[in-house]
């Protein structure tokens, strides 16, 4: 192999601008070292070395070990300690660190450098043999699992049996005996022993961290969070300090502000007499960091001062790992603290108030997707429920679901409905189950445990450290006192209060505080895109308007037909044989449509409302062929035992109706209904449907206008591919609108347009623009028709496409900007050529996806439209689109 450029940097040789090379952790360690913070010395192996390792098929790049060995020698000189020394051994931690934080997804090894002789030396040096042999036990446990792939269960079981035999704690003799047992287990599984030479240990550990970049949980995490797979991880080798040493010792994780709420002040947890992995792994329930002020007041003041200095230095909330060893405080890491959406908003606004950043930077700092976390439901405070246990509120929100105890079970059960994943504590191997769960509960751990950190990052509700819960994997149940909840039964989780509630409890929508309103006002000042909503009822329209919607970009009229009386009328229309019969049936529907439109116009007073005419195939309004034939068969059997003539007559009438319905279902049956008789094709085949809907729109508009409500209707024709289709529908719409408005003597301005959801429509947009006054890109169907993929079936293979890098993201979630986006750009250009003042918008669900919003901003559309609860997301995404130009 050709030697690479420099692959190892001492902490003092880097800075925070080098995250792409040193990883986020390594860059911050370098920055802290250069800035004079108390950081144990160390060095970082670059991400480039990791990428070269994988590119060469897991072969170590030429020259890497020479650089590592030289860095170890320099570290020995700085520390005054020596690898493998029996008098003053150098011990190091080996940790991963990618350019983008991936907490808990890759591997860490502590206490590397120990062997039996060095452990004896450490015991003599500290005068604490139990501490030394416990450090060695921890090292071989981590090394065996991470480097050799030895299963954790037999090693942990050996530990549990040893503790039981010795009354819970182990003295030096007990630890030595346990280590002998663990080493036999390791040899049995790995067919080799852990090397005694520290430099060999280090080489193997570095390779193991490189390999952890490609483990399942890391890949799953990157896929879930949209992190590129080619970044690689750095490896940080740092002199060990011990939070479980004699005297005043502890380890902790602290935030400069509350990561769940954003409230200012030092927040976090610590464990006395522990190592850092204990608190992250959640094996013991930690103490609040405020308690440190009581037991180690000087160290607390020192930590608080460093925390404040780090936040000022980085200009953002920090997540700090620290250790006190025998009365001396060390900072092991700082990074931008992960935070919930609510915390992100408050921290950004507060930092503007404090003069740390300006409002432009505040808007940039809040990820649009984080806002959705603020929209999660909360437990109804007026509901009656039984609290099983109260743990730590690790991630806000509320959710109900059926209980599962295993990550794989969660994936299966989530296909049928919401699930709650209940564990003693989670590990990175549980990530795939956490990703699909509605909420996560652990009986151990704290607000900085793996479960809490991952849940907050995904915006999922989480309660950690609910110690009153007895989680029994064997019985597949969780209990507290006399309350027992078995697998498949309901739990409700309140991540705001930490309550674990038995059964299913109602939830209510959240309210927004002044911080949210302030941030959104700043975003609105910046953005140029309007944000509308997709809403079919007055309630949805009201919700969206409260979220800041500036109109309705898609009102789907077919959703108004699914009431008991309404569905009967639409079915009557479908089975009608003549236009007159259809008009009679539609006349029964028209008052309902008028009523619905009035409610929506009232709610959107003064704002545009885009109403899409009937779109789906007619068979969707009929029972299935299977349902009808089953009922008919059953009815024919019961005819034989009709109790009287009246009952017989009613049955015979129903038989005739069923025969007719079955005939209609068979007549309307299509091989590919999504590309069949739907949209404008229905309106042209049955013009009386378009007439009724147009009359209802303008009758409602007139009634509202008479009451002083400002109505701005936009009538939209769906699934147009040919100009003639649009022209035929436009003639009907304009004729009926004129009839209604002339009859009432009221002038209401309206526009007529079409959806662009077929590739042909995009290509002939200049022709369509001669008739259409606006285009709305229906990206759901445009994606289906452009890619030749059914949205309902593509889920079977699209995840693997993303996983294997065939595509960057699911095109039904985030717009395919090259293919579908190319059609949109063509339609926009040609549409403007045909009508320079044509209004352009998007009404597919992509309208709430930040990446898609950014693309549409670049195209120059006037608005995006999305579901009500995505409106704030789209507003902030539109501001980001401006700032990222």
């Amino acid at each position: 192999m050709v030697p690479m450029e420099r692959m190892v940097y001492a902490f003092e040789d880097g800075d925070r601008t080098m995250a792409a090379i040193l990883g986020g952790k390594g860059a911050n360690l370098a920055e802290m070292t250069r800035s004079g913070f108390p950081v144990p010395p160390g060095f970082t192996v670059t991400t480039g070395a990791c990428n070269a390792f994988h590119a060469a098929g897991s072969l170590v790049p030429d020259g890497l070990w020479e650089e590592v060995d030289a860095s170890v020698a320099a570290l020995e000189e700085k520390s005054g300690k020596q690898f493998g020394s029996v008098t003053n051994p150098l011990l190091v931690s080996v940790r991963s660190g990618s350019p983008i934080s991936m907490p808990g997804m890759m591997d860490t090894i502590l206490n590397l450098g120990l062997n039996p002789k060095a452990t004896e030396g450490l015991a003599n040096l500290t005068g604490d043999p139990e501490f030394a042999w416990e450090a060695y036990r921890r090292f071989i446990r981590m090394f065996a699992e991470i480097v050799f792939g030895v299963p954790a269960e037999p090693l942990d079981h050996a530990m549990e049996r040893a503790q039981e035999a010795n009354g819970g704690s182990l003295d030096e003799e007990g630890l030595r005996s346990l280590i002998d047992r663990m080493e036999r287990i390791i040899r049995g599984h790995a067919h080799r022993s852990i090397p005694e030479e520290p430099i060999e240990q280090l080489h193997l550990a570095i390779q193991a961290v490189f390999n952890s970049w490609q483990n399942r949980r890391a890949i799953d995490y990157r896929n879930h969070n949209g992190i590129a797979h080619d970044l690689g991880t750095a490896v940080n080798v740092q002199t060990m300090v011990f939070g479980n040493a004699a005297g005043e010792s502890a380890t902790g994780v602290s935030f400069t502000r509350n990561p769940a709420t954003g409230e200012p002040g030092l927040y976090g947890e610590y464990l006395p007499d522990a190592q850092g992995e204990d608190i992250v792994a959640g094996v013991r329930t930690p103490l609040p960091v405020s308690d440190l002020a009581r037991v180690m007041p000087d160290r607390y003041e020192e930590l608080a001062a460093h925390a404040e200095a780090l936040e000022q230095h980085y200009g953002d909330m920090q997540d700090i790992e620290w250790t006190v060893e025998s009365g001396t405080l060390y900072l092991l890491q700082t990074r931008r603290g992960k935070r919930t959406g609510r915390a992100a908003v408050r921290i950004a606004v507060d930092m503007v108030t404090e003069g740390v950043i300006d409002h432009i930077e505040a808007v940039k700092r809040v990820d649009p997707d984080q806002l959705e976390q603020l929209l999660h439901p909360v437990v109804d405070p007026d509901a009656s429920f039984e609290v099983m246990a109260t743990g730590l509120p690790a991630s806000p929100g509320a959710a109900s679901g059926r209980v599962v105890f295993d990550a794989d079970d969660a994936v299966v059960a989530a296909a049928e409905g919401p699930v709650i994943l209940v564990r003693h504590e989670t590990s990175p191997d549980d990530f795939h189950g956490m990703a699909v769960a509605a909420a996560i509960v652990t009986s151990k751990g704290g607000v900085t445990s793996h479960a809490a950190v991952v849940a907050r990052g995904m915006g999922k509700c989480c309660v950690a450290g609910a110690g009153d819960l007895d989680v029994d994997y064997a019985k597949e149940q969780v209990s507290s006192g006399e309350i027992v909840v078995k697998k498949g039964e309901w739990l409700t989780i309140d991540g705001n209060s930490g309550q674990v509630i038995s059964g299913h409890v109602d939830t209510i929508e959240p309210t927004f505080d002044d911080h949210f309103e302030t941030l959104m006002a700043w975003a609105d000042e910046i953005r140029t895109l309007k944000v509308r909503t997709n809403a079919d009822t007055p309630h949805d329209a009201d919700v969206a308007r409260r979220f800041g919607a500036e109109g309705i970009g898609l009102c789907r009229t077919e959703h108004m037909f699914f009431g008991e009386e309404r569905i009967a009328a639409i079915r009557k229309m479908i089975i009608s044989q003549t236009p007159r019969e259809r008009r009679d049936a539609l006349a029964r529907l028209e008052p309902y449509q008028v009523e619905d439109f009035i409610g929506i116009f009232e709610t959107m007073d003064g704002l545009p409302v885009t109403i899409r005419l009937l779109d789906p195939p007619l068979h969707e309004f009929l029972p299935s062929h299977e349902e009808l034939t089953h009922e008919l068969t059953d009815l024919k059997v019961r005819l034989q035992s009709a109790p009287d003539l009246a009952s017989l007559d009613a049955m015979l009438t129903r038989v005739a109706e069923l025969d007719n319905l079955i005939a209609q279902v068979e007549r309307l049956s299509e091989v590919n209904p999504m590309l069949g008789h739907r949209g404008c094709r229905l309106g042209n085949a049955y013009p009386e449907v378009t007439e009724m809907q147009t009359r209802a729109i303008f009758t409602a508009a007139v009634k509202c206008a008479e009451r002083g409500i400002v109505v701005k209707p936009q009538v939209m024709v769906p699934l147009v591919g040919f100009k003639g289709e649009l022209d035929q529908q436009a003639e009907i719409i304009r004729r009926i609108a004129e009839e209604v408005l002339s009859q009432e003597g009221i002038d209401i301005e309206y526009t007529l347009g079409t959806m662009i959801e077929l590739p042909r429509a995009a290509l002939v947009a200049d022709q369509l623009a001669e008739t259409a006054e606006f285009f709305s890109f229906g990206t759901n169907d445009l994606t289906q028709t452009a890619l030749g993929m059914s949205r309902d079936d593509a889920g079977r293979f699209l995840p693997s496409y993303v996983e294997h890098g065939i595509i960057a993201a699911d095109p039904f979630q985030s717009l395919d900007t090259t293919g579908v986006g190319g059609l949109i750009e063509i339609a926009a250009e040609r549409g403007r050529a045909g009508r320079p003042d044509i209004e352009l918008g998007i009404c597919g669900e992509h309208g709430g996806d930040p990446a898609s919003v950014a693309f549409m901003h670049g195209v120059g559309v006037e608005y995006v439209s999305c579901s009500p609860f995505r409106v704030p997301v789209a507003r902030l995404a539109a501001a980001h689109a401006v700032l990222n130009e």
Side-chain angles (χ1 to χ4, degrees):
M1 294 178 62
V2 177
M4 294 182 59
E5 295 182 4
R6 185 175 181 181
M7 291 178 282
V8 180
Y9 287 77
F11 288 169
E12 59 268 26
D13 293 340
D15 60 49
R16 61 176 168 175
T17 67
M18 299 173 66
I21 299 170
L22 304 179
K25 184 179 297 183
N28 284 332
L29 285 168
E31 183 76 13
M32 285 197 294
T33 299
R34 292 166 67 96
S35 301
F37 289 97
V39 178
F43 59 86
T44 300
V45 181
T46 65
T47 58
C50 174
N51 287 330
F53 174 81
H54 288 296
S58 299
L59 293 177
V60 174
D62 290 343
L64 176 59
W65 293 148
E66 289 79 3
E67 287 193 50
V68 168
D69 295 353
S71 297
V72 168
L75 198 57
E76 289 175 327
E77 185 175 346
K78 290 173 193 170
S79 65
K81 302 178 181 182
Q82 197 167 25
F83 248 177
S85 169
V86 296
T87 57
N88 192 15
L90 171 66
L91 306 182
V92 297
S93 62
V94 182
R95 290 184 167 95
S96 62
S98 69
I100 298 175
S101 179
M102 295 171 54
M105 295 301 117
M106 292 176 288
D107 292 328
T108 293
I109 298 175
L110 304 180
N111 306 338
L112 187 143
L114 282 175
N115 54 36
K117 290 182 179 179
T119 304
E120 294 279 10
L122 183 63
N124 293 331
L125 181 67
T126 61
D128 190 347
E130 290 178 7
F131 159 73
W133 289 102
E134 169 62 12
Y136 188 44
R137 182 201 68 78
R138 287 171 180 260
F139 165 64
I140 66 171
R141 161 70 174 75
M142 289 183 179
F143 194 95
E145 182 183 4
I146 292 168
V147 178
F148 289 168
V150 177
E153 289 79 2
L155 298 171
D156 292 342
H157 184 57
M159 175 73 170
E160 291 166 4
R161 286 199 302 173
Q163 289 176 326
E164 290 171 2
N166 289 272
S169 60
L170 299 176
D171 58 14
E172 179 185 357
E173 182 179 351
L175 284 164
R176 284 176 178 267
S177 176
L178 171 60
I179 288 168
D180 286 342
R181 172 64 182 153
M182 292 174 69
E183 287 178 334
R184 288 196 298 272
I185 292 171
I186 293 166
R187 286 193 296 272
H189 281 274
H191 306 296
R192 61 188 297 194
S193 297
I194 293 175
E196 293 192 7
E197 178 58 47
I199 202 70
E200 185 181 352
Q201 296 174 0
L202 181 58
H203 291 177
L204 291 171
I206 289 171
Q207 291 178 79
V209 174
F210 283 166
N211 283 323
S212 72
W213 177 253
Q214 297 291 6
N215 67 34
R216 174 182 171 178
R217 62 181 184 263
I219 292 171
D220 286 348
Y221 187 90
R222 292 197 295 272
N223 286 337
H224 183 83
N225 290 279
I227 298 172
H229 293 290
D230 60 358
L231 298 179
T233 182
V235 183
N236 298 289
V237 179
Q238 188 172 29
T239 304
M240 283 293 305
V241 290
F242 295 94
N244 57 344
E248 196 178 67
S249 297
T251 189
V253 177
S254 298
F255 299 86
T256 55
R257 302 181 190 231
N258 188 313
T261 67
E263 184 178 358
L266 194 62
Y267 178 86
E269 299 166 329
Y270 81 102
L271 281 171
D273 189 27
Q275 286 196 277
E277 290 304 297
D278 295 340
I279 194 166
V280 175
V283 296
R284 288 162 55 191
T285 299
L287 301 170
V289 72
S290 57
D291 186 69
L292 191 69
R294 177 180 58 81
V295 296
M296 302 181 196
D298 292 343
R299 300 293 76 75
Y300 179 83
E301 288 184 12
E302 189 179 358
L303 174 63
H306 285 317
E308 183 177 355
L310 283 168
E311 184 174 278
Q312 288 294 318
H313 185 82
Y314 284 94
D316 200 356
M317 187 265 274
Q318 294 297 293
D319 171 358
I320 305 165
E321 292 181 18
W322 53 270
T323 289
V324 176
E325 180 186 72
S326 301
T328 301
L329 174 67
Y330 297 93
L331 304 184
L332 307 182
Q333 171 175 277
T334 192
R335 60 188 173 195
R336 181 181 185 273
K338 289 190 178 293
R339 62 207 77 182
T340 64
R342 186 171 300 280
V345 170
R346 175 165 182 175
I347 290 169
V349 174
D350 281 352
M351 284 192 161
V352 174
T353 303
E354 295 162 11
V356 178
I357 59 176
D358 60 24
H359 76 281
I360 300 293
E361 180 63 24
V363 170
K364 283 183 179 179
R365 283 196 178 176
V366 180
D367 188 322
D369 279 326
Q370 283 187 297
L371 291 187
E372 197 168 14
Q373 298 174 24
L374 278 69
L375 313 177
H376 290 182
V378 295
V379 171
D380 185 350
D382 296 326
S384 298
F385 51 79
E386 189 170 22
V387 177
M388 290 184 68
T390 300
L392 300 169
S395 188
S400 292
R402 297 187 184 275
V403 172
V404 293
F405 298 92
D406 175 81
D408 291 333
D409 288 346
V411 172
V412 174
E416 302 299 324
V419 297
I420 308 295
L421 180 61
V422 179
R423 303 284 291 165
H424 292 305
E425 65 266 355
T426 63
S427 74
D429 290 330
D430 293 319
F431 179 78
H432 59 295
M434 299 172 74
V436 299
I440 299 129
V441 182
T442 65
S443 59
K444 298 179 182 178
V447 297
T448 53
S449 65
H450 175 265
V453 171
V454 173
R456 279 198 299 271
M458 292 193 292
K460 290 184 182 290
C461 169
C462 178
V463 172
D468 291 338
L469 293 180
D470 180 9
V471 181
D472 191 325
Y473 294 149
K475 293 182 179 178
E476 294 190 311
Q477 67 179 39
V478 57
S479 60
S480 178
E482 296 182 359
I483 306 173
V484 179
V485 178
K486 295 184 178 295
K487 178 182 177 181
E489 295 181 340
W490 285 87
L491 269 185
T492 297
I493 309 306
D494 187 347
N496 302 300
S497 67
Q499 291 180 327
V500 179
I501 302 163
S502 61
H504 186 289
V505 180
D506 289 339
T507 57
I508 59 174
E509 297 172 7
T511 56
F512 301 121
D513 59 19
D514 290 343
H515 293 95
F516 174 83
E517 298 296 348
T518 298
L519 184 82
M520 296 311 297
W522 291 337
D524 291 342
E525 290 175 6
I526 297 168
R527 67 184 171 92
T528 56
L529 271 177
K530 297 290 185 182
V531 178
R532 300 189 192 178
T533 190
N534 301 339
D536 313 320
T537 66
H539 173 267
D540 287 349
D542 180 62
V543 169
R545 186 154 193 175
R546 287 188 284 111
F547 286 162
E550 297 161 300
I552 291 179
L554 176 63
C555 175
R556 292 156 287 209
T557 54
E558 62 271 10
H559 289 185
M560 301 172 177
F561 294 156
F562 289 99
E564 185 175 346
E565 294 181 352
R566 303 179 185 207
I567 197 68
I570 193 72
R571 286 174 178 172
K572 181 71 173 174
M573 185 275 292
I574 293 170
I575 65 174
S576 298
Q577 301 298 314
T578 67
R580 181 181 180 85
E581 289 178 352
R582 279 192 290 273
R583 287 191 174 94
D584 288 344
L586 290 166
R588 293 171 54 193
L589 272 176
E590 189 172 322
Y592 296 119
Q593 291 259 277
V594 171
E595 179 185 347
D596 291 332
F597 293 141
I598 287 174
I600 289 173
F601 286 143
E602 287 176 339
T603 305
M604 286 290 162
D605 185 3
L607 297 176
V609 176
T610 304
I611 300 169
R612 182 181 73 186
L613 300 181
L614 187 65
D615 183 45
L618 292 180
H619 78 271
E620 290 193 7
F621 298 103
L622 296 174
S624 70
H625 191 278
E626 183 180 3
E627 290 177 85
L628 292 171
T629 53
H630 179 77
E631 182 183 351
L632 181 60
T633 301
D634 181 66
L635 191 57
K636 286 180 176 178
V637 171
R638 291 192 289 115
L639 276 172
Q640 309 304 318
S641 56
D644 50 51
L645 287 176
S647 299
L648 180 61
D649 186 56
M651 289 182 181
L652 290 171
T653 300
R654 181 58 180 163
V655 166
E657 290 175 351
L658 288 171
D659 283 333
N660 194 7
L661 277 172
I662 290 171
Q664 292 301 320
V665 168
E666 291 174 348
R667 180 176 64 83
L668 296 172
S669 175
E670 296 179 286
V671 174
N672 189 350
M674 293 310 295
L675 294 178
H677 199 187
R678 54 170 286 222
C680 68
R681 301 161 190 171
L682 277 177
N684 286 326
Y686 306 115
E688 50 274 10
V689 175
T690 303
E691 291 172 354
M692 182 277 288
Q693 289 200 295
T694 304
R695 190 161 43 248
I697 291 169
F698 286 96
T699 299
V702 166
K703 290 180 179 293
C704 288
E706 289 174 340
R707 292 163 38 218
I709 296 168
V710 178
V711 291
K712 297 182 177 180
Q714 296 186 297
V715 184
M716 183 160 67
V717 180
L719 209 72
V720 165
F722 299 90
K723 183 176 184 295
E725 292 176 314
L726 178 60
D727 288 345
Q728 190 167 329
Q729 287 290 283
E731 187 280 324
I732 298 171
I733 294 165
R734 288 175 175 144
R735 171 170 51 81
I736 298 298
E738 179 63 25
E739 288 177 6
V740 174
L741 297 177
S742 298
Q743 182 177 339
E744 300 297 334
I746 291 180
D747 184 24
I748 294 176
E749 290 188 8
Y750 70 94
T751 55
L752 185 150
T754 186
M755 294 182 78
I756 302 295
E757 46 194 334
L758 296 174
R760 190 180 197 280
L763 296 174
V764 298
D766 52 341
Q767 299 174 26
L768 299 180
E770 295 173 9
T771 303
E773 297 165 284
F774 68 87
F775 289 163
S776 181
F777 294 99
T779 53
N780 297 342
D781 275 350
L782 185 57
T783 298
Q784 291 194 106
T785 55
L787 301 185
M789 290 183 184
S790 165
R791 180 172 50 173
D792 298 324
D793 299 317
R796 299 178 183 179
F797 58 86
L798 281 180
S800 69
Y801 272 36
V802 175
E803 182 177 344
H804 292 96
I806 296 173
I807 55 177
D810 183 335
F812 293 103
Q813 296 179 14
S814 191
L815 192 70
D816 164 30
T817 56
T818 304
V820 178
L823 288 171
I824 290 172
E825 289 173 323
I826 290 170
E829 179 184 352
R830 295 183 182 180
R832 289 177 180 131
R835 184 184 292 267
D837 63 347
I838 194 166
E839 181 184 61
L840 303 177
I842 169 178
C843 64
E845 277 306 305
H846 296 96
D849 168 62
S852 305
V853 170
F855 174 81
M856 298 307 291
H857 171 80
V859 172
V861 302
E862 277 74 25
Y863 69 86
V864 296
S865 187
C866 55
S867 61
F869 283 88
R870 294 290 290 181
V871 166
V873 177
R875 289 165 63 193
L876 185 57
H880 277 221
V882 173
L883 296 175
N884 293 332
E885 283 182 315

